[in-house]
Amino acid sequence: MTKPTIREIFDSMDYGTAPEGNSEAKAWLSRHQRFGHWIDGAFTAPGATFATRNPATGDILAEVTQGTSDDVALAVAAARKAQSKWARIGGAARARVLYALARLVQKHARLFAVLETMDNGKPIRESRDIDIPLVARHFYYHAGLAQLLDSEIPGHEPQGVCAAVIPWNFPLLMLAWKVAPALAAGNTVVLKPAEYTPLTALLFAEISKEAGLPKGVLNIITGDGETGAALVAADVDKVAFTGSTSVGRKIRQATAGTGKALTLELGGKSPYIVFDDADLDSAVEGLVDAIWFNGGQVCCAGSRLLVQEGVADRFLTKLKRRMDALRIGDPLDKSIDVGAIVDPVQLAAITALVDANPSGEIYRAACPLPEGCFYPPTLISGLQAADTLMQEEIFGPVLVSTTFRTPSEAVEIANNTRYGLAASIWTENVNLALDLAPKIKAGVVWVNATNLFDAAAGFGGIRESGFGREGGWEGLAAYLKPSAKTKALAPVALTDAAIEQVPDMDRTAKLFIGGKQARPDGGYSRAVVAKGKLLGHVGLGSRKDIRNAVEAAHAAKGWGRTTGHNRAQILYYIAENLSARADEFAKRIKDQTGKSGAEEVAAAVDRLFTFAAWADKYEGAVKPVPMRGLAVAVHEPVGVIGCLCPDEAPLLGLVSVMGAGIAMGNTMVLVPSELAPLTATDFYQVLETSDLPAGVVNIVTGSAAELAKPLAGHLDVDAVWSFSSQPLSTLIEKEAAGNLKRTWVNHGRARDWTQADARAFLAQATEVKTIWVPYGE
């Protein structure tokens, strides 16, 4: 076969292979062959091992040890021993080590990139040009955060020992996402890499000694899912997990009630929305990066194409032509676009899911497919929003597609998913893009771009895509906790007190749902008695009352679209009306609790003014990312928040949680103090006269123990807070696993309600959405 001439090459635009050498990686592997764990600054002797393979060739790369519960305990003990000293050296000293780690990643960049490609199967140009530079960037950035930590976030301390469980799609980058902020904040780490891809984590551990990282600060335990479960169950203070939604749900249940901090970055089914005025050629190229980057094995992959009807045929024709030009093959070939699937098990899962759902028109790229662990780039068009493949995460190089007519329909289809990780919007009308960005339920939105990441810009999801953020100040916050010590909270015991004195007129307070007073569905009430005096009755709410309250809260979702200024005016009005009835509320508190209520009422009025002030001042940020464009972090309301209010501060506690929630645009379902519920039923009279829209605040009196489960388990509630004196934290966190809603519970510890702690409440009342807007030609 004759070689083509230069002219022929230019005519065909064809190109040959460009293999990357892997001799250095092979030499490193040959020096080890069988790996133990990295514990307390050194490799342990290998135990029972399993093979890690090159997915493109099936060749065994190395043998790694299957971690046991004893191995996990040993690593956690090493981390525990090292943690206090690592925290005490201060942020500036930790910054030097993180900086050295960043430099060493750059120094060994090619070795890391080649090893990552050999172990994972992704194209070398992705690991070389994207993954490894981002790893270095994360350590540089968090070195800076460590330097500033002591002055910028006073009153906080490290969580302690952090367990990190990471996936196989970005092995070293996911390590950086977890390890860099944990170390910057003064924590120590026990990390379990994915079973399929442990090698770059082990290489990183080895070079960490050269950076001066003290022994025990970073520990690596290899193994399968059982090893990960043992680590989650171990004596750790925080769990950080990236992986599938199903495993994330199990971790939420396993950590329920333990007091362990938890962040979850889970699956996605991200919409890729193309409008008829978009630059279609650019949108096609963006889509190639969105779905075929890393073989589609990306949690935020743009796997759902929504294209406007008027250009759908033209766009799909362009897309198919581009698909046919993709090159699939040896991941170490720098000219390859799509590499191997990580393991035959994952290949079988992709194949089975597509084959089991034959709906739509299937188009597979006409490029040659090598033998082995490869799957062709695939487009399935003509689907309906409810079709299985439009709803389920395939986690492979498979794009599914449907059409829309109007922007509002695009938003409706985009949000028709249980996930909420990312979205891409393609249009030349920036007004349209910025109109849609807040309406799409996702933690990250890219405008005329896709898969943009940076250590300064928070990344993470909502709904069943998890909670918590990776990167930025908001990501660092998850590795810190308030340093103030708290006391145990004694549960309030309600007794059937004898009634010696009854009021002249019966007073039976109702529930407050949808702006109206409503009788409890069950028809039961409870007497409120203090010192033998019957003060009145309150309704005993039930599961159905919680359902009605949640429906009313959802019906008031327009509250979140009002301006902070308008929300502030109503909060000020509520405060004014409460102040006008201060003596009445003070007496009501004293009658129920026996304590003077004047100070609590005054504090409650002040607290409402505080959150009114914050309503239009809790600002987002423009993140300093290394690109020509903007990455804007905005605070959005969480949605519907259910809260079990404190018993020890019946008015101040209620207005604190309510004030923070509605100031940020949320709607609320409140279960007031059982000890002094008449305070809340008096308070809804204030709400009725303060121009608050119906359904923004709903109050269901009754037993916290009985209402906690339906509230926390409700799939249309977005977050649950509990400050009840009853031991409900375990129940709430377990029930919240149903839709992976955010929780904020007290774990039986008291809070000083005289302290506003406004930023803590505002952070819990908001989600951070990062909107990326590149600009320029």
Side-chain angles (χ1 to χ4, degrees):
M1 180 179 179
T2 59
K3 296 176 65 174
T5 66
I6 293 177
R7 180 180 181 86
E8 289 171 339
I9 291 173
F10 272 102
D11 286 340
S12 67
M13 292 304 290
D14 198 8
Y15 47 95
T17 61
E20 174 70 43
N22 61 0
S23 57
E24 190 175 342
K26 284 185 173 181
W28 182 79
L29 290 169
S30 67
R31 289 198 298 270
H32 292 278
Q33 291 297 316
R34 299 177 72 245
F35 288 89
H37 307 300
W38 181 265
I39 298 177
D40 208 21
F43 282 116
T44 63
T49 62
F50 60 92
T52 180
R53 297 175 180 271
N54 183 330
T57 64
D59 296 339
I60 294 176
L61 299 173
E63 296 282 338
V64 295
T65 297
Q66 169 61 39
T68 66
S69 57
D70 289 341
D71 296 329
V72 169
L74 188 64
V76 171
R80 182 70 64 191
K81 181 180 178 182
Q83 193 274 318
S84 58
K85 184 177 180 181
W86 177 246
R88 283 198 307 271
I89 68 172
R94 294 194 297 273
R96 302 299 187 272
V97 178
L98 286 162
Y99 175 79
L101 285 168
R103 295 284 292 183
L104 284 166
V105 168
Q106 290 180 316
K107 178 180 177 180
H108 298 290
R110 190 56 62 95
L111 173 59
F112 273 118
V114 172
L115 190 62
E116 193 81 300
T117 287
M118 291 172 66
D119 203 22
N120 168 274
K122 65 175 62 188
I124 182 64
R125 63 185 182 85
E126 293 181 6
S127 55
R128 180 197 63 194
D129 299 341
I130 299 172
D131 292 26
I132 307 308
L134 272 175
V135 171
R137 164 68 174 155
H138 271 268
F139 281 100
Y140 275 126
Y141 179 82
H142 286 91
L145 290 187
Q147 182 75 27
L148 302 174
L149 177 62
D150 296 336
S151 62
E152 296 304 309
I153 312 183
H156 286 75
E157 64 185 19
Q159 295 280 1
V161 176
C162 296
V165 181
I166 60 174
W168 41 259
N169 54 345
F170 294 93
L172 192 64
L173 183 57
M174 293 298 101
L175 177 150
W177 281 20
K178 304 290 189 281
V179 171
L183 298 191
N187 303 278
T188 53
V189 178
V190 180
L191 178 137
K192 192 203 86 68
E195 178 183 3
Y196 299 143
T197 54
L199 296 181
T200 48
L202 296 171
L203 172 59
F204 181 86
E206 189 174 74
I207 72 166
S208 69
K209 289 184 69 174
E210 188 179 341
L213 190 68
K215 65 179 184 179
V217 173
L218 173 64
N219 306 271
I220 308 288
I221 298 289
T222 54
D224 58 13
E226 291 185 5
T227 308
L231 179 54
V232 169
D235 179 26
V236 298
D237 303 295
K238 173 182 166 54
V239 175
F241 173 76
T242 296
S244 71
T245 295
S246 59
V247 175
R249 184 174 287 110
K250 291 178 182 177
I251 291 175
R252 169 72 286 179
Q253 293 169 334
T255 58
T258 62
K260 296 174 183 177
L262 177 65
T263 49
L264 299 172
E265 197 263 286
L266 307 176
K269 194 72 177 177
S270 300
Y272 189 98
I273 306 169
V274 180
F275 283 91
D276 57 9
D277 67 340
D279 179 338
L280 297 188
D281 292 322
S282 294
V284 166
E285 288 304 310
L287 188 52
V288 169
D289 288 335
I291 182 59
W292 293 301
F293 171 60
N294 201 17
Q297 300 165 112
V298 183
C299 54
C300 58
S303 55
R304 272 191 306 151
L305 170 63
L306 316 181
V307 58
Q308 200 159 18
E309 271 191 9
V311 294
D313 290 342
R314 187 153 55 100
F315 184 81
L316 292 180
T317 298
K318 288 176 175 285
L319 178 60
K320 291 173 183 177
R321 185 184 307 124
R322 182 67 179 88
M323 289 172 63
D324 291 343
L326 293 173
R327 293 170 66 102
I328 308 171
D330 179 7
L332 282 174
D333 182 348
K334 292 185 283 289
S335 69
I336 287 300
D337 299 305
V338 182
I341 302 300
V342 72
D343 189 85
V345 171
Q346 178 64 15
L347 178 63
I350 297 167
T351 304
L353 189 55
V354 173
D355 291 350
N357 296 278
S359 301
E361 177 187 333
I362 298 178
Y363 183 85
R364 293 187 170 90
C367 44
L369 187 69
E371 291 188 9
C373 204
F374 294 88
Y375 194 91
T378 300
L379 166 67
I380 305 176
S381 55
L383 295 172
Q384 301 299 314
D387 285 339
T388 299
L389 294 179
M390 289 288 287
Q391 293 291 325
E392 297 299 323
E393 186 179 32
I394 301 171
F395 217 68
V398 180
L399 175 68
V400 297
S401 174
T402 192
T403 60
F404 66 89
R405 295 181 178 179
T406 64
S408 59
E409 186 182 6
V411 171
E412 183 180 353
I413 297 173
N415 291 339
N416 185 6
T417 173
R418 65 181 189 276
Y419 298 109
L421 189 53
S424 293
I425 303 170
W426 290 78
T427 173
E428 292 297 284
N429 184 344
V430 71
N431 290 324
L432 175 62
L434 296 181
D435 176 59
L436 260 64
K439 297 175 181 177
I440 294 175
K441 297 185 182 301
V444 180
V445 177
W446 295 294
V447 175
N448 292 332
T450 190
N451 282 340
L452 298 178
F453 309 99
D454 186 65
F459 178 87
I462 60 174
R463 296 174 162 182
E464 292 191 27
S465 290
F467 47 80
R469 293 294 179 264
E470 312 268 8
W473 288 99
E474 56 269 40
L476 185 69
Y479 292 89
L480 296 165
K481 62 182 179 181
S483 53
K485 304 306 176 187
T486 59
K487 298 179 180 179
L489 183 62
V492 170
L494 300 179
T495 60
D496 294 327
I499 299 175
E500 300 173 3
Q501 182 181 352
V502 297
D504 295 333
M505 184 176 294
D506 174 70
R507 176 183 171 87
T508 301
K510 298 176 182 177
L511 313 181
F512 186 62
I513 297 175
K516 300 177 181 178
Q517 298 180 37
R519 291 185 175 87
D521 179 74
Y524 289 97
S525 62
R526 177 178 71 81
V528 181
V529 182
K531 296 182 179 180
K533 181 180 180 181
L534 176 64
L535 303 177
H537 288 80
V538 291
L540 290 177
S542 65
R543 176 187 59 80
K544 189 172 181 181
D545 297 311
I546 291 293
R547 183 201 69 184
N548 294 340
V550 172
E551 289 179 355
H554 269 281
K557 61 185 179 182
W559 175 251
R561 296 192 294 271
T562 61
T563 65
H565 171 76
N566 287 341
R567 296 195 296 268
Q569 301 312 299
I570 291 177
L571 278 163
Y572 283 129
Y573 197 12
I574 294 171
E576 291 172 4
N577 287 336
L578 176 60
S579 179
R581 298 174 59 178
D583 292 343
E584 174 189 341
F585 273 87
K587 182 178 184 302
R588 175 67 79 186
I589 292 172
K590 184 175 182 179
D591 287 346
Q592 293 173 100
T593 66
K595 301 176 183 178
S596 173
E599 291 184 0
E600 183 174 343
V601 174
V605 172
D606 185 69
R607 191 65 46 81
L608 287 166
F609 268 76
T610 295
F611 285 119
W614 272 113
D616 58 359
K617 299 174 186 68
Y618 190 51
E619 299 166 343
V622 176
K623 297 291 186 170
V625 296
M627 61 168 277
R628 192 159 181 259
L630 302 174
V632 185
V634 296
H635 290 125
E636 293 191 333
V638 173
V640 176
I641 300 176
C643 183
L644 303 165
C645 299
D647 293 304
E648 67 273 25
L651 179 63
L652 181 56
L654 183 144
V655 300
S656 295
V657 299
M658 182 206 77
I662 67 175
M664 295 296 102
N666 301 283
T667 56
M668 310 288 292
V669 177
L670 305 176
V671 177
S673 163
E674 290 185 75
L675 179 67
L678 294 175
T679 308
T681 56
D682 286 352
F683 185 71
Y684 67 56
Q685 298 169 15
V686 173
L687 299 179
E688 287 178 313
T689 59
S690 301
D691 293 342
L692 185 71
V696 173
V697 175
N698 305 273
I699 298 173
V700 180
T701 54
S703 166
E706 293 183 8
L707 296 176
K709 184 172 182 177
L711 187 60
H714 201 298
L715 296 181
D716 280 335
V717 172
D718 301 294
V720 175
W721 303 348
S722 177
F723 304 103
S724 172
S725 62
Q726 303 302 317
L728 299 173
S729 297
T730 301
L731 170 68
I732 289 169
E733 290 184 333
K734 281 188 176 179
E735 291 296 321
N739 66 341
L740 289 166
K741 61 174 66 68
R742 287 172 55 176
T743 60
W744 190 24
V745 296
N746 60 8
H747 295 291
R749 309 301 295 182
R751 171 177 286 274
D752 183 359
W753 291 97
T754 64
Q755 301 298 313
D757 200 11
R759 283 191 176 274
F761 279 87
L762 296 172
Q764 291 291 339
T766 53
E767 297 281 7
V768 176
K769 173 181 280 186
T770 305
I771 303 173
W772 294 74
V773 189
Y775 54 72
E777 293 296 328

